[in-house]
Amino acid sequence: KSMEIKRKILGVNHPQVSEAYEQIGNAYKNIGKSDLVLANFEKALASLELWLQALGSDPPDTGKTYFSIGIMYVHKGRYDLAQENFDKSLAIKRAAFGNEHSEVLRAYEKIAIAYMENGQAELAIENYEKSSQTFMEMDYFRFLSYVIESSQ
């Protein structure tokens, strides 16, 4: 019902509508319905399409949605599609946060996992090295933030 109200008041191409789709996707994730998770994450991205065109750039939340879609593709064994979404997420996160950020570190790690599972060990190693480099460049407080976020 919340979704219907948001769509009526805000329109289908609004960040709050996108967020609602992502929340629905996360609820489906908790009960193991991966097809419905992906469908709702993809609706989240679609609902932002016109909004993003108006902004002229991708906000960090879009990177988060691509990242979530990538994780679902990993669970489904579709590593090629996971890589594609992780790459999009990484580009958005690097533009938003710079190279020395825990979100960038996490993206490199997931890209490496997707490459490794897809049988591309050299590209996996390259991304693990980028992840390590990012980690080394993070300051102490960002590191603590990363540790706390990773444990949740």
Side-chain angles (χ1 to χ4, degrees):
K1 291 195 180 239
S2 170
M3 173 64 79
E4 291 173 26
I5 293 168
K6 285 180 180 183
R7 287 177 60 176
K8 269 186 187 173
I9 293 172
L10 302 171
V12 295
N13 297 313
H14 192 276
Q16 287 186 12
V17 173
S18 174
E19 184 179 315
Y21 278 124
E22 192 159 345
Q23 289 171 347
I24 291 168
N26 284 326
Y28 280 123
K29 183 178 172 185
N30 289 335
I31 59 172
K33 304 235 179 205
S34 61
D35 289 337
L36 293 173
V37 173
L38 280 173
N40 279 282
F41 286 165
E42 288 167 354
K43 286 179 185 178
L45 285 173
S47 75
L48 283 176
E49 194 170 278
L50 291 176
W51 187 265
L52 295 175
Q53 288 174 2
L55 288 176
S57 65
D58 291 321
D61 285 348
T62 307
K64 183 181 108 186
T65 303
Y66 279 121
F67 191 81
S68 297
I69 291 171
I71 289 172
M72 289 313 303
Y73 278 126
V74 166
H75 291 304
K76 292 175 76 64
R78 295 296 312 270
Y79 304 110
D80 54 333
L81 294 173
Q83 278 174 236
E84 183 180 316
N85 283 280
F86 290 146
D87 287 341
K88 289 177 184 177
S89 174
L90 174 63
I92 293 166
K93 290 176 178 185
R94 286 179 69 192
F97 303 122
N99 289 329
E100 301 169 11
H101 194 276
S102 61
E103 290 295 321
V104 173
L105 170 70
R106 191 171 290 117
Y108 280 129
E109 289 172 346
K110 293 299 183 185
I111 290 169
I113 291 168
Y115 277 129
M116 186 62 79
E117 294 295 331
N118 209 19
Q120 297 173 296
E122 288 181 19
L123 291 171
I125 291 167
E126 181 181 314
N127 279 279
Y128 279 129
E129 288 173 349
K130 289 177 182 177
S131 172
S132 295
Q133 183 64 32
T134 301
F135 176 77
M136 298 301 284
E137 292 172 357
M138 289 170 55
D139 65 36
Y140 180 72
F141 293 106
R142 285 191 199 160
F143 168 72
L144 288 178
S145 172
Y146 171 72
V147 170
I148 292 168
E149 289 172 12
S150 296
S151 67
Q152 295 177 350

